[in-house]
Amino acid sequence: TFVKLGEALSLRPDLVGYGLAKELSEIEDVSKEVVSFDKIEKIFKEELKESLDHYFMEFEKVPLGCSFLTQTYKAKLKSGQDVVVKIRKPGVEEKISEDLAILYYLSKLAEKRIDEFKEKDLKRLISEFERFLKKEMNFKFKSKSAAKFYNQFKDNDDFSFPKVYFDFSTEKIFVREFINGAKLSELDNSKIMF
């Protein structure tokens, strides 16, 4: 939760100052706590009422990535399409609720005791962050947003956005086309042409 807060604040230099915003923009979610594959399978079955092998020809059991909120896997649909499956980790909602309660408490203290924060309305800021997190955790919302980008650029040769598979996506599961690539942070910027 606090990593996500840092990411969100990095977009608001008007609130935290440009120096701190730049520092916060370099935060990466380095949470490597991997949830067992059995628990991931259980979430999948609860959400889609069938086992993984009902929908997938292949499903890699080792995650491609892991964050505080999710684990991401590579899989192959029965149709043969390579996809990425992002599944919300169990217990995340409770942890976020606990962290938000701490943030609300700390904001109240800061507004009372630190002059610089008396006029900042930290409660509103945390409320905004809470709304952001709820959207981030709701994969139905995320699927719709991703599909808008896909539809907007599907005929454009300069951009590639993954197709969303709504039949397999729920509030806790997000399935999209697998596109092989690299993180922008891993690219040699001197060789990127616009």
Side-chain angles (χ1 to χ4, degrees):
T1 307
F2 296 103
V3 170
K4 288 287 180 193
L5 177 61
E7 290 173 356
L9 289 175
S10 75
L11 302 172
R12 296 296 309 266
D14 58 313
L15 293 174
V16 297
Y18 287 97
L20 182 56
K22 184 178 180 338
E23 291 295 320
L24 290 171
S25 72
E26 296 175 14
I27 290 176
E28 282 195 47
D29 189 345
V30 293
S31 171
K32 299 294 181 195
E33 187 179 327
V34 176
V35 173
S36 74
F37 192 73
D38 291 342
K39 290 180 181 176
I40 294 298
E41 275 186 304
K42 183 179 178 197
I43 293 168
F44 194 90
K45 192 165 187 169
E46 286 171 358
E47 287 291 300
L48 290 171
K49 312 302 182 221
E50 297 285 349
S51 64
L52 289 171
D53 57 2
H54 179 80
Y55 298 100
F56 301 100
M57 179 182 318
E58 297 171 15
F59 199 102
E60 293 182 9
K61 291 186 177 187
V62 176
L64 286 173
C66 179
S67 74
F68 167 70
L69 292 175
T70 64
Q71 281 181 203
T72 306
Y73 296 88
K74 186 174 181 190
K76 188 181 291 276
L77 294 172
K78 295 269 182 163
S79 65
Q81 176 65 51
D82 287 327
V83 294
V84 171
V85 180
K86 187 177 275 197
I87 300 178
R88 188 183 333 146
K89 289 180 174 180
V92 166
E93 299 90 342
E94 294 82 9
K95 177 68 174 136
I96 287 174
S97 291
E98 291 169 8
D99 289 350
L100 285 169
I102 292 168
L103 285 172
Y104 278 116
Y105 175 75
L106 291 175
S107 72
K108 191 175 178 181
L109 281 177
E111 286 177 346
K112 283 182 180 178
R113 298 181 180 189
I114 303 171
D115 289 337
E116 297 88 50
F117 292 120
K118 288 184 179 177
E119 302 297 321
K120 293 286 187 184
D121 195 6
L122 296 177
K123 184 178 177 183
R124 186 179 60 82
L125 177 68
I126 294 167
S127 179
E128 220 175 282
F129 176 60
E130 184 175 7
R131 279 193 303 277
F132 161 79
L133 274 178
K134 286 180 179 175
K135 284 183 179 178
E136 183 82 8
M137 287 191 330
N138 184 340
F139 290 157
K140 283 185 178 182
F141 176 80
K142 199 171 203 152
S143 296
K144 288 177 186 174
S145 296
K148 284 180 187 176
F149 278 101
Y150 172 78
N151 289 327
Q152 182 79 29
F153 293 101
K154 67 182 175 188
D155 297 323
N156 188 320
D157 293 335
D158 296 325
F159 296 100
S160 184
F161 288 94
K163 178 181 178 181
V164 175
Y165 291 90
F166 287 101
D167 291 346
F168 313 107
S169 295
T170 69
E171 192 172 311
K172 294 181 180 181
I173 300 169
F174 177 41
V175 180
R176 64 172 176 78
E177 174 184 17
F178 177 81
I179 296 177
N180 201 13
K183 285 182 176 182
L184 287 175
S185 61
E186 295 171 350
L187 299 176
D188 180 356
N189 292 337
S190 65
K191 295 180 182 175
I192 298 175
M193 301 285 292
F194 290 98

